[in-house]
Amino acid sequence: MVTVKRSSGVLLHIASLPGKYGIGQLGKEAYEFADFLSRAGQSYWQVLPLVPTGYGDSPYQSFCSVAGNEYFIDLDALAADGLLTKEELDECVTPPSSRINYEWLYKTRYDVLRKAFSRFDGSDKGFADYVAKGEYADYALFRAIKDSRGGKPWYEWEDPLKFRYDSAINEFKEEHKSDILFWQWAQYEFSRQWNKLLNYAHSVGIKIIGDVPIYIAYDSSECWTRPSLVKLDSSRRPVSVAGCPPDAFSETGQLWGNPVYDWERMKENGYAWWKARMKKVLSLCDVVRIDHFRGFEKYYEIPYGETTAVNGRWSIGPGAEFFRELERSIGKMEVIAEDLGTLDDAARAMFAEVGYPGMKVLQFAFGSDEGNEYLPHNYKDENCFAYTGTHDNDTLLGFISKLGDERTHFGAMLAEECKRLGLPAPGETDSEMCDSVIELCYSSVAECAIIPLQDWLKIGEEGRINMPSILSAENWSYRVPAEYATSAVETRMKELSVKCGRIG
């Protein structure tokens, strides 16, 4: 169980913060958001993975599972350190937009960061120690080679580099020292800025909830440097990939494409890689949500090359013993277990054994009341985090506005649930229904209520972060308006936190 008292928080991706440089950063706007949460009586800021984005601009397809996203580096901080000029900053300014242009960022942002690096004092003791310890050395080498090969994934590199022949690797290192150091410096700078923001958030009473995707991407430094972590054949192609089977929401299931772990091999060395990963992630946040947690009990694997998830099979994962082994090594972990979707008895038994709080998403609550576990009155105890929606759902207003013929049924169930919890009857408009769902979330017995900022702002479907298994320029690109922190929103958040006993 996460060691929190009754509390609340807000879900907002760092990339979605407002600002003038094309994407949310670890600068002024991030500090202002922490201040806003503090004034609004919140206890938590839940972020999405902080990692560099890969295929589809998704942080769940990252080039490295523990690196920081270089796009998040605050350019103003670099300028304050004398590493960028005003003219160079001005070139990074974009017109106000609710969307991130990742193509433009890819083509321009690294050049700007390289200019900053060219002026950085490489003899800086902190950085020198960082490099001497080998921090992110594999990742830096991976990114430098990738750059030199036009961005091609590692499995399309020539064999000497693809298979990491010593002679080829050493030759590349010698010829590209500065390029490799640049990527290490970018991680050093990200780490400095993130830790500063984390400490500031703590100083104003806000804790950070991080996010760990269960799987690593195929085109990642981990798959390249440690192919034995996952099921790859001798030519380094995946044997099988991850996904979800067909269900009521998808006739063909979800094909994620990440290679699945070789759990037997991992067990042989005491899950050393996972221990290092979790130790690193937990050093960057106070609590961590682990995505697709049921995959540790059984995971769905699909033969590589399949175009849908129909022809997959369930395989046995490491189970609760995996988490006992992690905690024996790194101590008690503050974890939220993403337990959404269809669960069998074995998966439920694992969740009960590990004891981490799960998730209750109210958008899933109003189909029927036949023991629906997402309806607040059916929560068995307080050991859960309640959400109106997640990054994979439509916004609450978008969800309600598309109900169509189901709207009457939804309204009736919402009214009944409000009555059960002693809340005022919901109004008739979409906006009023949003208010009622948020209050239901806050009024539940859940330890913590987490509301995406888009739901507080009553932003429609344009505010959705991601549509799973669909490649779209709309995914991961939404940014909240600069004027989000209105007194009305702040007052509503604080009043509800006080009313429901969730004040930070």
Side-chain angles (χ1 to χ4, degrees):
M1 183 178 293
V2 172
T3 54
V4 299
K5 295 182 179 179
R6 190 167 171 80
S7 58
S8 59
V10 173
L11 170 61
L12 181 69
H13 191 18
I14 295 291
S16 296
L17 284 164
K20 60 185 179 181
Y21 296 124
I23 192 170
Q25 298 190 329
L26 306 179
K28 177 172 70 74
E29 289 79 12
Y31 287 80
E32 289 174 347
F33 186 65
D35 287 337
F36 166 73
L37 294 180
S38 181
R39 294 194 306 269
Q42 302 301 296
S43 300
Y44 286 97
W45 177 0
Q46 180 168 339
V47 298
L48 296 177
L50 300 171
V51 294
T53 53
Y55 181 73
D57 305 312
S58 169
Y60 294 88
Q61 293 285 349
S62 176
F63 294 139
C64 178
S65 68
V66 292
N69 190 331
E70 294 87 4
Y71 292 155
F72 295 167
I73 293 173
D74 177 30
L75 299 183
D76 287 324
L78 298 182
D81 289 340
L83 303 182
L84 291 175
T85 67
K86 181 182 183 301
E87 291 72 23
E88 288 163 347
L89 286 181
D90 289 344
E91 291 175 0
C92 298
V93 174
T94 60
S97 174
S98 63
R99 293 290 163 192
I100 298 165
N101 185 337
Y102 282 103
E103 182 180 5
W104 176 80
L105 282 172
Y106 181 77
K107 291 178 177 178
T108 63
R109 188 53 47 87
Y110 298 122
D111 288 341
V112 174
L113 293 175
R114 285 180 186 277
K115 288 178 182 177
F117 172 63
S118 72
R119 297 167 185 143
F120 176 74
D121 182 2
S123 64
D124 174 272
K125 186 177 186 309
F127 182 59
D129 290 345
Y130 190 84
V131 172
K133 291 177 183 176
E135 297 283 355
Y136 291 100
D138 285 341
Y139 170 70
L141 175 62
F142 172 84
R143 291 300 299 265
I145 298 176
K146 177 180 271 291
D147 274 358
S148 73
R149 268 55 184 173
K152 285 183 179 180
W154 66 267
Y155 43 85
E156 293 181 8
W157 298 345
E158 59 270 34
D159 281 358
L161 292 175
K162 173 182 174 180
F163 291 98
R164 295 177 56 83
Y165 299 162
D166 287 345
S167 58
I169 293 297
N170 290 335
E171 181 180 352
F172 186 90
K173 286 181 177 179
E174 186 63 30
E175 294 176 355
H176 296 82
K177 288 181 179 178
S178 180
D179 291 334
I180 295 169
L181 276 177
F182 161 72
W183 290 105
Q184 282 186 285
W185 168 81
Q187 288 305 304
Y188 175 71
E189 187 62 33
F190 175 93
S191 179
R192 285 203 314 150
Q193 292 191 11
W194 175 258
N195 286 326
K196 185 178 177 182
L197 175 61
L198 179 64
N199 290 334
Y200 182 80
H202 290 168
S203 75
V204 295
I206 301 300
K207 292 184 178 180
I208 303 294
I209 300 175
D211 192 299
V212 171
I214 182 174
Y215 291 116
I216 56 178
Y218 184 22
D219 188 22
S220 65
S221 59
E222 289 97 341
C223 274
W224 177 58
T225 58
R226 300 186 180 186
S228 63
L229 292 176
V230 292
K231 296 181 180 180
L232 303 182
D233 63 21
S234 59
S235 64
R236 298 292 196 265
R237 289 177 302 187
V239 174
S240 54
V241 295
C244 283
D247 57 21
F249 299 100
S250 173
E251 292 182 358
T252 58
Q254 294 183 28
L255 182 63
W256 300 336
N258 308 69
V260 297
Y261 293 119
D262 190 332
W263 287 113
E264 290 302 316
R265 279 190 180 182
M266 285 187 164
K267 186 176 181 179
E268 289 173 2
N269 71 352
Y271 306 109
W273 177 82
W274 265 101
K275 289 174 182 176
R277 183 189 189 190
M278 291 303 297
K279 185 176 181 180
K280 178 64 176 178
V281 172
L282 286 165
S283 74
L284 300 175
C285 57
D286 302 288
V287 182
V288 63
R289 186 196 83 114
I290 300 181
D291 186 58
H292 193 58
F293 200 91
R294 69 126 326 127
F296 294 102
E297 191 278 320
K298 276 194 294 285
Y299 59 96
Y300 194 70
E301 57 180 328
I302 305 145
Y304 182 63
E306 291 285 328
T307 57
T308 73
V310 170
N311 295 320
R313 66 184 179 91
W314 288 103
S315 299
I316 300 298
E321 174 56 30
F322 169 72
F323 293 96
R324 287 195 291 269
E325 176 61 28
L326 260 59
E327 293 198 337
R328 279 194 289 267
S329 176
I330 63 179
K332 177 63 179 174
M333 300 188 300
E334 301 286 1
V335 166
I336 302 168
E338 190 267 282
D339 56 350
L340 307 176
T342 303
L343 303 177
D344 58 19
D345 289 344
R348 292 184 184 280
M350 181 192 69
F351 281 105
E353 187 172 352
V354 297
Y356 302 135
M359 297 172 61
K360 304 294 184 185
V361 177
L362 268 75
Q363 282 192 36
F364 301 156
F366 299 99
S368 69
D369 188 17
E370 295 298 323
N372 187 316
E373 63 185 282
Y374 300 112
L375 277 170
H377 83 272
N378 284 332
Y379 297 176
K380 292 181 179 179
D381 56 41
E382 72 279 4
N383 191 34
C384 60
F385 277 51
Y387 295 77
T388 49
T390 75
H391 64 276
D392 282 335
N393 297 118
D394 201 344
T395 64
L396 184 56
L397 183 63
F399 167 76
I400 292 173
S401 68
K402 295 195 199 72
L403 285 170
D405 294 341
E406 299 174 0
R407 184 184 177 88
T408 300
H409 173 72
F410 172 83
M413 284 199 68
L414 178 59
E416 181 62 25
E417 193 67 6
C418 288
K419 182 178 178 181
R420 283 187 177 115
L421 272 65
L423 304 179
E428 296 294 326
T429 69
D430 292 352
S431 177
E432 289 169 335
M433 287 183 172
C434 284
D435 285 334
S436 293
V437 175
I438 289 173
E439 188 160 358
L440 274 178
C441 191
Y442 265 60
S443 300
S444 73
V445 299
E447 285 183 0
C448 187
I450 301 286
I451 312 295
L453 184 61
Q454 293 94 311
D455 290 353
W456 280 116
L457 301 180
K458 297 178 186 174
I459 291 170
E461 63 178 338
E462 70 275 12
R464 182 169 187 164
I465 295 295
N466 181 50
M467 295 186 69
S469 296
I470 294 177
L471 190 64
S472 168
E474 300 297 297
N475 282 355
W476 307 107
S477 66
Y478 179 73
R479 301 182 73 191
V480 297
E483 61 277 9
Y484 69 86
T486 66
S487 59
V489 172
E490 183 180 314
T491 298
R492 171 68 173 152
M493 292 169 73
K494 187 159 189 178
E495 287 179 347
L496 203 54
S497 294
V498 172
K499 176 182 177 180
C500 299
R502 295 189 180 277
I503 197 71

